[in-house]
Amino acid sequence: MILGSSTAAEDTALLTDTIRSVIRRVDPADGRSERVYRDGPVDRDLWAVLGSEIGVGALAVPEVAGGLGASFADVAAVLGLLGEELSRVPVLSGVVAAAVLSRCDGVRRAADLLAGIAAGEAVVATVVTAPGTDSGFRAEHVGDDVFVTGRADFVMDGDVADTVLVTAADESGTVGLYAVDAAVLTAERMDTTDATRVLSRVRAEAAPATVLAEGTRSDWIHDRAVVALACETLGVARACLANAVDYAGRRVQFGRVIGGFQAVKHMLAEVAVAVELAESAVAHAVWAVVEGTDADLAEAAAIAALTCGDAARLATEKNVQVHGGIGFTWEHTAHLYYRRALSSGVLWGSSDDHAQRLYALAAAGVAHSSEASTDPRQEPASAVLSSTES
C-alpha cells in the first residue's frame, strides 16, 4: 500500500487533537462512568458540539453533498479517537450511512439525508446484514408507493435515528436500498452488555419507504460497516494499552512500581504486539476502502475485524487486571472499555464468522486462480503438490 504524506499525517493529527480537546472539555474522563449510568448511552451535549459546531458528521460526506469530503484516513482516525474516549455520539452510524448514501447518485432523498448528516441535524441508522444472509425485510410496490415490512435486532442508534436504511427484496426478488422514516417504525432500545452504545430492535409493518437504489449489495454495506467498527475498536485497544502502561508506571507495590515486574512487562508486551498488528490491519483496510476493489475490501474487512477484535478483548482484559481491585469497580472506566470490546466483537459478526468468511474468500480466490491458468507455476501450492504426488 502507498503510505500517506507527512503533511497529511500532520493534518490528521491536528484534526484529532482538536476533537480530543473538545471531548475532554465536554465529557472529561473524571466522572465519565457516573455520567454514563446517569445519562445513558447518548451524550446529547457532546453531540450538539461535535455534530453541529465542529461538524464531525460532515467528514464522511462528499463535498458535492454538502460535506467536507475528508479522506477515509481522516475518518478512520476520528473513529479511533471516539473509541479511545468511549464517546457516546452517533458518529459511527453516520459514517456507515454516508458511505451507503454516497452510492445513490441522483436520488434526492439520499442527497437530503447526506446534507442532514453533514449538518449534524439528522441521525441515520443502517440495518447491517451479514453476507449471504437475508435482511429480514420485504418491499412491496403498490402503484408508485413502496411499503417495507420486517424486523432487525442490534441496529446501531436505531431508536434515536430520524431515518433507518434497510435492504429489502421486492416481489421479483431484487434487493434494493430503502429509506424509512423513524415515525413509521417501531424501535425499542435493547438491554445489552455495552452501556455506552445504543443498539435497538427495529420493526416495520407495511411502512412507507423511499427507494434509494436497486440491485444493492448488502455484503458491501456490511464490509464498509465492519471496517468503520474496526477503526473504532482499535481506539479502544489503544486507550486500554496506554491506560495500563501509565498505571503500571505509577502504582507501587512491594517497594517498586508494578511495571518493573516481569509478569506485568510480558503482559503489556503481548498487548502491544496485538495492538500493532491491529494498526497494520486497519491501515490496510483504509487502503482497501480508498483504492481497493470490492474483493480487496471484503478481505481487508474480515482481517481488520479479527485483529482489532482480538486486540481490544486482550487490551481491555489486561487493563482491568493491571489496575487490580480498582479496575473492577463501577467508578473506574476499565469495565466500560471491556464491555465495549465484548459488544463490538460480535456486533456485525463474531471472530468465527469473520474467520469463516476470510477462509471462503481465500478458497474462492484459489479456485478462480486454478481455473484461470493451467500453468503449474501459477497454480496454488496444494494443486502443484497433488499433481506431483500423482
Side-chain angles (χ1 to χ4, degrees), residues 222-263:
H222 171 271
D223 294 336
R224 285 298 300 263
V226 165
V227 169
L229 180 62
C231 295
E232 184 194 77
T233 304
L234 173 60
V236 170
R238 281 174 171 166
C240 287
L241 174 60
N243 292 341
V245 169
D246 176 68
Y247 188 77
R250 293 185 292 107
R251 178 74 169 97
V252 177
Q253 191 77 339
F254 304 111
R256 59 188 293 193
V257 293
I258 62 174
F261 295 115
Q262 188 178 53

Side-chain angles (χ1 to χ4, degrees), residues 77-252:
V78 171
L79 289 173
L81 170 60
L82 296 177
E84 291 176 20
E85 299 292 338
L86 280 185
S87 298
R88 295 164 289 138
V89 289
V91 174
L92 177 56
S93 57
V95 168
V96 176
V100 175
L101 292 168
S102 296
R103 282 196 156 191
C104 304
D105 296 331
V107 180
R108 179 61 182 272
R109 178 64 171 147
D112 291 343
L113 291 173
L114 283 170
I117 294 173
E121 298 172 350
V123 176
V124 182
T126 306
V127 176
V128 178
T129 306
T133 63
D134 187 270
S135 69
F137 287 87
R138 294 291 179 269
E140 181 182 3
H141 293 259
V142 180
D144 293 333
D145 299 322
V146 181
F147 300 90
V148 170
T149 299
R151 58 166 287 173
D153 294 337
F154 301 104
V155 179
M156 186 180 295
D157 296 321
D159 63 272
V160 298
D162 303 291
T163 304
V164 178
L165 306 180
V166 302
T167 54
D170 62 15
E171 302 90 333
S172 66
T174 301
V175 177
L177 178 68
Y178 300 85
V180 187
D181 288 336
V184 296
L185 292 171
T186 300
E188 57 180 312
R189 189 162 302 175
M190 302 177 69
D191 185 13
T192 63
T193 302
D194 188 359
T196 62
R197 171 121 62 204
V198 174
L199 294 174
S200 315
R201 178 176 294 112
V202 175
R203 295 187 183 89
E205 294 293 340
T210 302
V211 181
L212 299 179
E214 295 182 346
T216 303
R217 290 184 51 195
S218 59
D219 56 343
W220 182 88
I221 297 174
H222 171 271
D223 294 336
R224 285 298 300 263
V226 165
V227 169
L229 180 62
C231 295
E232 184 194 77
T233 304
L234 173 60
V236 170
R238 281 174 171 166
C240 287
L241 174 60
N243 292 341
V245 169
D246 176 68
Y247 188 77
R250 293 185 292 107
R251 178 74 169 97
V252 177

Side-chain angles (χ1 to χ4, degrees), residues 18 25 294 301 357 369:
T18 301
R25 173 171 56 83
D294 287 353
R357 184 158 192 241
S369 298

